[in-house]
Amino acid sequence: MEDVELFAYRREDGSVGVRNHVAIISVDHAGAVVAEGVSKLLRGVEAVTHQYGRLQFGEDLQLTFNTLIGVGCNPNVAAAVVVGIEPNWTSKIAKEIAKRSKKPVESVWVIGQGTISAIAEAAKKARELVSYVSEIRREPCRLSEIVIGVKCGASDTTSGIASNPVIGKVGEWIVDIGGTFIFGETTELAGAENIIASRFENEGEKRKFLEVFDNYVKFAKSKGVDILGSQPTQENIAGGLTTIEEKALGNIQKVPDRPIKGVLKPAERPPGKGLWFMDSSSSAQEQVTLLAAAGAAIHLFSTGKGNTVGHQILPVIKVTGNPITAKQMKDNIDVDVSGITLGQMSLEDGARRLYEFMIKVANGKLTAAEILKHDNFAITRLYPSM
Amino acid sequence: MKVYLHDEKDNVVVALDNLKPGDKIEAKGKVITVRQEIPFGHKVAIENIPKGSYIIKYGEVIGVATTNIEEGEHVHIHNLKSLKYT
């Protein structure tokens, strides 16, 4: 497969985006109300909201900050307004986004003026930014310049037969043309962790991966959950999956069979091109958000039964190999590769179908989850607030 | 009858339909007679697999046969177990 020229947004920091959003990013619950208010007043803004950001500490607070800063720096965002309850953390996040991405970033806080006034202030600032970003033109870029993420959810037998291998194949093409591809879902690899470990380019990163994996298993055990012993689930067994190895092998079909460069921390931007593993939850909305924070501009999502996840700033492309899901949930599905399951389509043809759709999305075509406003931004919490 | 072979090295295929005893399936160029009811998504042995040998799917070991399995038999929790976590 050859690299493709397409029209996208080249940002100041060298990254390439496929959307041109003004993000209204909330630092906390107070900011969330303001961001929602602004999004009702203006065209061209995306409210990135959540209910956390208060009394968090240590690593957990840092991950929330990194997620908010990372989403602000994402190349699909052209400008941002950061809104929070008070000036300290709000300005800190706004300044960091501006420093790293060189984008116009404003900040607004609620204390000292109240919610209605804060909405007005944020809306005035966002209005200027919308006007400014609407003049930014798409320009010729290469597909290999776009960071692409992957995940599967609501999987079934057809995921291992069709949608996962299709994504794996597309991922191989992306890596081969010199692009960047990120996978994660630490727990989903259980049973095939040694296969993934064997694909790391260097020993240090391989050890780091196995450590991340073991820590997850131990953490779950400390909470009374045996991740390994509880797989496959009763539902999986009813669907025909017998062993944890078998389930994991189905999962990793979506991981390109290429050397893995290294392990990324949650929300960490990959330091170079190629294939990367990110330590991340298997919860769809959390994983998609962590990849958005890492700079992914397109996300490939494989589903059997029909997970509907989407994201404010990251287009999520739904691929299914289940003919029933493709029919019943047509509104939610972007690429139907159920022909593979039915023996009417080759894997190569399915992959080509996804590749072509992905290029359209990069050029501006909206995904089902974008049209349906599946705005599932979600913070990954590491432990409770104080 | 539709079945899916993930990899040429595999000794099982996946049923893409609910299979019944006597149904003929084709894998790796040979015709196999199904011996039991096998639901959609479940595995069928495409060769005789002696007790203690590996079950291969996706070209990788997914576990070990706990009984002698004959060609055309259902392969699942009653005759296959994980090597990793038991």
Side-chain angles (χ1 to χ4, degrees), chain A residues 133-148:
Chain A
V133 310
S134 69
E135 278 195 87
I136 303 174
R137 290 279 159 264
R138 284 180 183 266
E139 53 186 303
C141 298
R142 317 287 300 175
L143 178 60
S144 60
E145 294 179 283
I146 295 169
V147 177
I148 294 165

Side-chain angles (χ1 to χ4, degrees), chain A residues 93-111:
Chain A
I93 289 167
K95 276 188 193 139
E96 200 56 38
I97 296 171
K99 193 177 103 190
R100 288 190 205 174
S101 69
K102 304 180 183 70
K103 282 171 202 169
V105 184
E106 298 283 353
S107 51
V108 173
W109 47 90
V110 179
I111 283 179

Side-chain angles (χ1 to χ4, degrees), chain A residues 169-186:
Chain A
K169 184 89 179 130
V170 168
E172 285 164 11
W173 291 339
I174 294 294
V175 173
D176 293 347
I177 61 171
T180 312
F181 203 78
I182 311 174
F183 72 102
E185 302 174 78
T186 312

Side-chain angles (χ1 to χ4, degrees), chain B residues 1-71:
Chain B
M1 284 297 159
K2 288 279 189 306
V3 291
Y4 193 85
L5 177 73
H6 280 279
D7 190 286
E8 282 297 322
K9 293 196 275 291
D10 294 358
N11 52 14
V12 291
V13 292
V14 179
L16 297 180
D17 206 343
N18 293 319
L19 304 179
K20 287 178 200 63
D23 282 348
K24 306 280 185 208
I25 58 170
E26 218 185 297
K28 295 196 202 174
K30 66 175 176 180
V31 176
I32 295 151
T33 307
V34 174
R35 291 167 179 272
Q36 292 151 312
E37 292 212 354
I38 296 165
F40 173 89
H42 287 232
K43 293 174 289 300
V44 192
I46 54 169
E47 55 196 62
N48 293 329
I49 306 169
K51 179 178 175 177
S53 46
Y54 293 147
I55 308 288
I56 313 286
K57 187 182 169 189
Y58 298 106
E60 303 277 351
V61 176
I62 62 163
V64 64
T66 55
T67 61
N68 288 325
I69 303 171
E70 282 183 52
E71 180 182 296

Side-chain angles (χ1 to χ4, degrees), chain A residues 9 11 18-22 44 76-78 133-136 138:
Chain A
Y9 299 97
R11 303 299 177 196
V18 302
R19 297 292 182 264
N20 203 39
H21 298 305
V22 172
N76 289 345
V77 173
V133 310
S134 69
E135 278 195 87
I136 303 174
R138 284 180 183 266

Side-chain angles (χ1 to χ4, degrees), chain A residues 197-229:
Chain A
S198 72
R199 294 189 192 161
F200 276 86
E201 270 181 3
N202 82 64
E203 274 304 309
E205 291 299 310
K206 175 182 169 173
R207 268 200 303 278
K208 211 195 278 181
F209 166 75
L210 287 170
E211 212 174 276
V212 161
F213 180 80
D214 286 342
N215 287 342
Y216 238 109
V217 174
K218 278 184 205 146
F219 173 75
K221 217 163 214 169
S222 76
K223 302 290 169 207
V225 177
D226 181 2
I227 291 177
L228 307 174

